């Protein structure tokens, strides 16, 4: 049986004014003359239609991130790094967004994970006068864009909750230009700002919270190079509790009379799925016939990742954590891989994730399996050989060859004899992640340590004061992410935290 279809809808006017109409053009020209259409040109240059009926939030954010020229740091398709809806999977699985849509807080979370600076306001956290001031500022600048979360009913439009970027503002008429990402339904249109405020001042039934708006801009410093904080897994809640509640409570124990005992207790109390919190960002590319070298850009990004990885391993904290996890008494097995994560396991997991990214497939990544995985070395554009995991991924009978550019560093912490140290190559492991997690936790976390000598020694280990610049930048970015997400309990958005 054939399903009835629709080709667009008639835009209810009034209250809206179609952008391409004679009146819409006049409003645009007047607003342009008034200086409140500066952000429009970047937005329209990267404007896109949402690819799924429930992807309005993802499409709006993709448009804004590309308009701000924020680099996602990983390929979209082929060699191109570009924000697309399929790249925005940090805070909510894409298959869930496709079926259920996405909430205001999760879109804010995605913007944070993508490396943007975000200020979010629900309608009960601000006023219409503040909203007008924020819109005027963003519309007068190319460095800030506003995404509105609103209900369509005040505009007499069909549908319910929706996201769209606001492309401009007409101050004299007090009208805002909605660049509707559902272009298959309604074209861009001007609406009275007071009506847009009413549309945002509505309750989202999924959360019981009011809708609102967010201001998205570039950060003054680049996002992380090697790791990112992820709350796209169910384990987030247990990790948020661990970071915010469990660790401070654990530190009240007066029996923690040395750093080794303290670290042992921290490791023992970690939730089983703690590794899902901080993820290593490994670059993935499609495997092409005859492609046996790295480009200059790939080599530069890999160099930065390797430099950060080495700087992590040069810290005293990494040495202490490593010795705790792999005591010197185990030296007899150092030639095996028992003291580190299984490279084959890492390869299979990351290989499948990479294939999901590159294919744009929105199903669960569990549907991918690696038929084969091998390790090879390829030429890094005249700069020696680099380690690459090469694999073939199978999904629903289709095969996809992928290469993963694996950052490595020579080990300085091996407990085996010195003749072997320079030969052992280490790749991102659970020891690195645990070291990073301890560095990322807020400095005031450790104030509860009872023994003053232990407190001083431990604070010295986790201090960022003397870290190299690249690693310090990485840690502070992750700390901002974690501070923001922990404050929101991984659910709905709170305000952008002050820089820690």
């Amino acid at each position: 049986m054939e399903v009835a279809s629709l080709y667009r809808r008639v835009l209810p006017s009034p209250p809206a004014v179609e952008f391409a109409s004679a009146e819409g053009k006049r409003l645009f020209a007047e607003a342009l003359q008034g200086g409140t259409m500066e952000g429009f040109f970047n937005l329209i240059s990267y404007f896109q239609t949402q690819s799924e009926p429930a992807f309005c939030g993802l499409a709006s954010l993709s448009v804004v991130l590309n308009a701000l020229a924020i680099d996602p740091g990983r390929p979209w398709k082929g060699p191109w790094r570009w924000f697309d809806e399929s790249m925005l999977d940090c805070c909510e699985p894409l298959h869930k967004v496709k079926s259920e849509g996405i909430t205001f807080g999760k879109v804010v979370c995605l913007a944070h994970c993508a490396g943007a600076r975000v200020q979010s306001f629900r309608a009960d956290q601000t006023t219409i006068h503040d909203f007008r001031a924020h819109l005027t500022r963003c519309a007068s600048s190319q460095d800030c864009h506003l995404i509105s979360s609103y209900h369509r009913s005040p505009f007499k439009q069909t549908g319910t909750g929706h996201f769209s970027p606001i492309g401009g503002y007409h101050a004299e008429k007090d009208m805002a230009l909605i660049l509707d990402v559902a272009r298959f339904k309604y074209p861009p249109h001007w609406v009275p700002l007071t009506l847009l405020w009413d549309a945002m001042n509505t309750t989202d039934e999924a959360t019981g919270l009011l809708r609102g708006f967010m201001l998205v801009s570039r950060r003054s410093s680049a996002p992380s190079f090697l790791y990112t904080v992820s709350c796209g897994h169910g384990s987030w809640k247990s990790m948020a509790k661990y970071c915010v509640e469990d660790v401070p409570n654990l530190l009240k124990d007066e029996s923690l009379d040395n750093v080794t005992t303290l670290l042992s207790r921290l490791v023992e109390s970690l939730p089983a799925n703690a590794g899902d919190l901080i993820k290593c960002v490994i670059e993935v590319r499609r495997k092409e016939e005859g492609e046996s070298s790295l480009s200059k850009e790939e080599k530069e990004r890999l160099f930065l990742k390797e430099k950060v990885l080495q700087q992590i391993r040069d810290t005293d904290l990494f040495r202490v954590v490593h010795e705790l996890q792999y005591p010197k008494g185990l030296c007899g097995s150092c030639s095996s891989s028992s003291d580190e994560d299984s490279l084959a396991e890492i390869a299979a997991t990351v290989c499948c994730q990479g294939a999901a990214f590159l294919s744009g497939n929105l199903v669960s990544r569990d549907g991918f399996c690696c038929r084969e995985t091998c390790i090879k070395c390829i030429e890094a554009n005249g700069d020696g050989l680099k380690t690459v995991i090469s694999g073939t991924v199978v999904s629903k009978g289709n095969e996809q060859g992928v290469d993963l550019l694996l950052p490595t560093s020579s080990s300085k912490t091996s407990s085996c004899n010195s003749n072997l140290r320079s030969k052992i190559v280490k790749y991102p492991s659970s020891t690195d992640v645990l070291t990073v997690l301890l560095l990322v936790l807020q400095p005031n976390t450790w104030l509860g340590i009872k023994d003053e000598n232990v407190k001083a020694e431990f604070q010295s280990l986790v201090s960022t004061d003397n870290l190299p610049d690249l690693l310090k930048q990485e840690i502070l970015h992750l700390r901002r992410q974690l501070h923001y997400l922990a404050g929101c309990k991984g659910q709905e958005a709170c305000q952008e935290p002050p820089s820690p």
Side-chain angles (χ1 to χ4, degrees):
M1 180 178 177
E2 187 175 349
V3 179
S5 62
L6 293 171
Y7 178 69
R8 304 179 64 180
R9 286 202 181 272
V10 176
L11 180 71
S13 179
V17 176
E18 186 172 345
F19 178 65
S21 67
E23 185 181 358
K25 293 175 183 177
R26 179 177 58 80
L27 290 171
F28 173 78
E30 293 172 354
L32 183 63
Q33 186 68 27
T36 50
M37 294 299 296
E38 291 301 309
F40 169 82
F41 296 98
N42 281 344
L43 288 173
I44 209 66
S45 296
Y46 303 103
F47 196 55
Q48 67 185 65
T49 302
Q50 61 191 80
S51 62
E52 294 285 343
F55 273 16
C56 55
L58 304 187
S60 297
L61 188 54
S62 295
V63 170
V64 167
L65 292 171
N66 289 324
L68 291 168
I70 294 176
D71 189 339
R74 57 187 173 99
W76 161 56
K77 291 184 180 179
W80 301 106
R81 301 197 306 280
W82 183 254
F83 275 110
D84 174 74
E85 296 154 321
S86 62
M87 303 280 282
L88 299 172
D89 64 342
C90 166
C91 303
E92 196 81 294
L94 290 174
H95 65 88
K96 184 177 180 181
V97 180
K98 183 178 179 180
S99 62
E100 301 177 15
I102 193 167
T103 62
F104 180 80
K106 293 293 186 178
V107 175
V108 176
C109 169
L110 283 170
H112 276 281
C113 288
R117 182 176 184 272
V118 192
Q119 291 176 281
S120 60
F121 304 89
R122 295 189 184 277
D124 56 352
Q125 296 173 327
T126 185
T127 67
I128 187 173
H129 306 293
D130 292 333
F131 171 55
R132 185 180 288 111
H134 284 304
L135 177 55
T136 301
R137 178 172 63 85
C138 273
S140 304
S141 167
Q142 298 181 26
D143 302 322
C144 170
H145 297 296
L146 189 150
I147 296 176
S148 174
S149 170
Y150 60 95
H151 199 286
R152 287 190 180 275
S153 59
F155 306 129
K156 301 179 181 178
Q157 298 173 3
T158 63
T160 54
H162 193 56
F163 291 90
S164 280
I166 304 302
Y169 176 61
H170 192 298
E172 184 177 347
K173 298 291 186 180
D174 198 27
M175 297 187 78
L177 175 61
I178 295 179
L179 297 180
D180 198 327
V181 290
R183 288 192 288 182
F184 52 82
K185 187 175 184 180
Y186 294 116
H189 48 277
W190 294 92
V191 296
L193 183 135
T194 53
L195 206 57
L196 177 56
W197 174 260
D198 291 341
M200 293 190 299
N201 194 18
T202 54
T203 300
D204 180 357
E205 294 180 358
T207 63
L209 301 172
L210 292 181
R211 297 180 171 87
F213 64 96
M214 62 194 79
L215 311 175
V216 186
S217 58
R218 289 179 62 96
R219 291 195 178 276
S220 57
S221 59
S224 56
F225 297 108
L226 184 60
Y227 289 104
T228 189
V229 173
S230 172
C231 65
H233 304 269
S235 61
W236 163 251
K237 293 182 181 179
S238 62
M239 278 306 297
K241 180 178 180 296
Y242 174 80
C243 296
V244 177
E245 301 176 18
D246 295 351
V247 171
N249 288 333
L250 181 151
L251 298 176
K252 296 176 182 177
D253 188 344
E254 295 185 1
S255 68
L256 304 177
D257 55 1
N258 61 71
V259 167
T260 302
T261 303
L262 172 59
L263 277 174
S264 297
R265 194 72 58 81
L266 289 173
V267 172
E268 291 168 1
S269 61
L270 274 171
N273 42 16
D276 286 338
L277 175 63
I278 294 180
K279 293 288 191 181
C280 181
V281 180
I282 295 179
E283 187 161 340
V284 184
R285 64 179 186 176
R286 283 190 175 88
K287 184 165 56 181
E288 306 294 349
E289 290 295 329
E291 190 177 75
S292 58
S293 64
L294 299 184
S295 67
K296 179 181 178 182
E297 293 77 13
E298 287 173 330
K299 184 187 72 172
E300 290 173 350
R301 291 195 300 275
L302 190 59
F303 171 76
L304 288 175
K305 292 178 186 292
E306 291 182 333
K307 193 167 184 179
V308 171
L309 182 60
Q310 186 62 58
Q311 289 176 352
I312 292 170
R313 290 165 181 189
D314 287 343
T315 63
D316 290 335
L317 180 61
F318 179 86
R319 174 185 55 79
V320 174
V321 172
H322 190 276
E323 290 177 356
L324 175 68
Q325 290 185 300
Y326 311 109
K328 294 183 179 181
L330 298 179
C331 188
S333 62
C334 68
S335 59
S336 72
S337 60
S338 62
D339 67 336
E340 291 292 352
D341 300 335
S342 164
L343 182 55
E345 182 180 345
I346 290 175
T349 300
V350 182
C351 188
C352 294
Q353 292 176 351
F357 285 135
L358 292 178
S359 69
N361 197 315
L362 304 183
V363 302
S364 170
R365 292 177 196 163
D366 294 338
F368 290 85
C369 64
C370 280
R371 190 183 66 186
E372 58 185 40
T373 303
C374 65
I375 303 171
K376 64 181 183 180
C377 293
I378 63 175
E379 181 67 30
N381 195 29
D383 193 30
L385 298 176
K386 294 295 181 182
T387 304
V388 170
I389 297 174
S390 182
T392 300
V393 177
V394 181
S395 175
K396 296 183 178 180
N398 298 318
E399 295 187 359
Q400 172 68 68
V402 294
D403 283 338
L404 301 98
L405 311 184
L406 186 69
T408 60
S409 77
S410 59
S411 174
K412 296 185 179 180
T413 60
S414 172
S415 58
C416 307
N417 70 69
S418 58
N419 293 331
L420 293 175
R421 290 183 187 176
S422 61
K423 298 179 182 179
I424 297 176
V425 175
K426 303 290 183 180
Y427 41 84
S429 68
S430 59
T431 309
D432 301 300
V433 172
L434 181 54
T435 302
V436 169
L437 175 61
L438 293 170
L439 288 170
V440 165
L441 291 180
Q442 292 293 324
N444 59 13
T445 302
W446 316 114
L447 296 179
I449 300 174
K450 297 297 183 181
D451 189 303
E452 291 298 326
N453 292 329
V454 175
K455 181 193 296 184
E457 183 180 355
F458 194 82
Q459 286 178 321
S460 175
L461 285 174
V462 297
S463 171
T464 60
D465 292 346
N466 297 318
L467 293 179
D469 287 343
L470 272 182
L471 180 55
K472 180 184 290 188
Q473 180 178 332
E474 180 97 349
I475 295 301
L476 293 181
H477 173 73
L478 293 172
R479 187 177 288 175
R480 280 191 296 268
Q481 282 187 303
L482 184 61
H483 182 58
Y484 167 79
L485 295 172
C488 302
K489 300 293 188 295
Q491 298 172 0
E492 286 300 316
C494 56
Q495 274 288 42
E496 166 84 358
S499 296

